Amino acid sequence: MRNDFTVSTPSGRRRVAAEAGETLARALFRAGFFVGVPLCAGLGRCGRCRARFLTEAPPPRPAERRRLGSEELAAGYRLTCLHPALGGERLALDDPGPAPAYSRPADAQPRLDSAGPLGLAVDLGTTGLAWRLLARADGRVLDEGRGVNPQLGAGGEVISRLAYALEADGGDYLRRLVLDVLVRLVAGAGGPVTELCVAGNSAMLSILCDNRFPDWPGPRIIWPGRPARR
């Protein structure tokens, strides 16, 4: 059963698909909203998933009374992580979250060039993602940058992330978010990337490599176009 709803943002209006029992915030995250935004995984604490109901708003929960002011509640604002999608809602989302950027630090040295093959090293943390572009011939660091882990909308800590990954299609969605970042980094490398190495804690690598505990064999190096190897 589908309980679709409509969301309006400063850039336009979209119809969002929601499964039965799914919260509005979870459906929004699956639809590409809140990517890279550190949400509290449905605890009603962070307040970052607030949206204004253009249809009749549901009664506020205690967490909303604590987090939102009386004026916001009267205007129809609610925390979308606390309300299931019933179908037919019309929401206004003031801030869908910025697209995560993986830019060079302000104090970084000017980018170096290399005519040979390149390697991309990525540190995939629970909340952040850092990368370095290296010349494979001599190991020189040619460029580097950092940003947030795009999976943050599923929760800012490991347990929430794993719980989301175990939901139907949850792991696939989280994996695609990171793979999209890796593809963009490779595309912007300015040369052939022949080796990609991703390091991270067991939970992040398990999600990325589509391995579920307790069968997780340990960290792996991922090579483009080849099977992952230990």
Side-chain angles (χ1 to χ4, degrees):
M1 180 179 177
R2 296 281 290 273
N3 296 328
D4 298 358
F5 60 94
T6 302
V7 59
S8 297
T9 68
S11 60
R13 186 170 62 180
R14 283 182 55 187
R15 188 172 185 83
V16 176
E19 300 296 334
E22 192 170 35
T23 66
L24 293 164
R26 188 58 58 90
L28 286 166
F29 177 59
R30 286 182 184 269
F33 298 91
F34 305 135
V35 171
V37 177
L39 300 184
C40 63
L43 299 178
R45 293 178 178 173
C46 71
R48 297 186 181 96
C49 69
R50 58 162 52 87
R52 182 165 57 90
F53 276 77
L54 302 179
T55 50
E56 183 178 358
R61 305 286 179 85
E64 291 170 313
R65 294 187 184 279
R66 292 191 297 268
R67 188 70 191 178
L68 304 175
S70 57
E71 292 185 0
E72 284 188 304
L73 291 175
Y77 282 92
R78 297 291 187 271
L79 301 180
T80 56
C81 68
L82 298 179
H83 297 281
L86 302 177
E89 295 95 341
R90 290 189 295 114
L91 305 178
L93 196 60
D94 299 331
D95 183 10
Y102 301 92
S103 56
R104 307 170 72 239
D107 58 351
Q109 297 296 317
R111 175 169 175 158
L112 303 176
D113 293 323
S114 174
L118 306 175
L120 180 64
V122 178
D123 181 3
L124 179 61
T126 307
T127 59
L129 185 153
W131 58 273
R132 279 186 173 179
L133 186 68
L134 304 102
R136 290 197 62 198
D138 53 17
R140 285 180 302 137
V141 177
L142 306 176
D143 203 2
E144 61 183 355
R146 62 178 61 91
V148 299
N149 185 322
Q151 303 168 343
L152 276 176
E157 32 72 37
V158 169
I159 299 301
S160 297
R161 201 74 55 81
L162 289 174
Y164 188 99
L166 291 175
E167 295 181 5
D169 300 323
D172 289 338
Y173 182 59
L174 295 180
R175 186 162 43 257
R176 287 200 306 272
L177 290 175
V178 174
L179 290 177
D180 286 347
V181 173
L182 298 181
V183 168
R184 294 202 304 271
L185 291 175
V186 169
V193 175
T194 59
E195 184 174 5
L196 169 65
C197 179
V198 181
N201 62 52
S202 295
M204 297 304 102
L205 293 179
S206 173
I207 294 171
L208 177 62
C209 296
D210 195 19
N211 289 96
R212 295 191 175 187
F213 295 110
D215 301 324
W216 173 236
R220 296 183 174 188
I221 295 176
I222 305 170
W223 296 71
R226 304 180 189 177
R229 68 177 179 86
R230 297 179 192 173

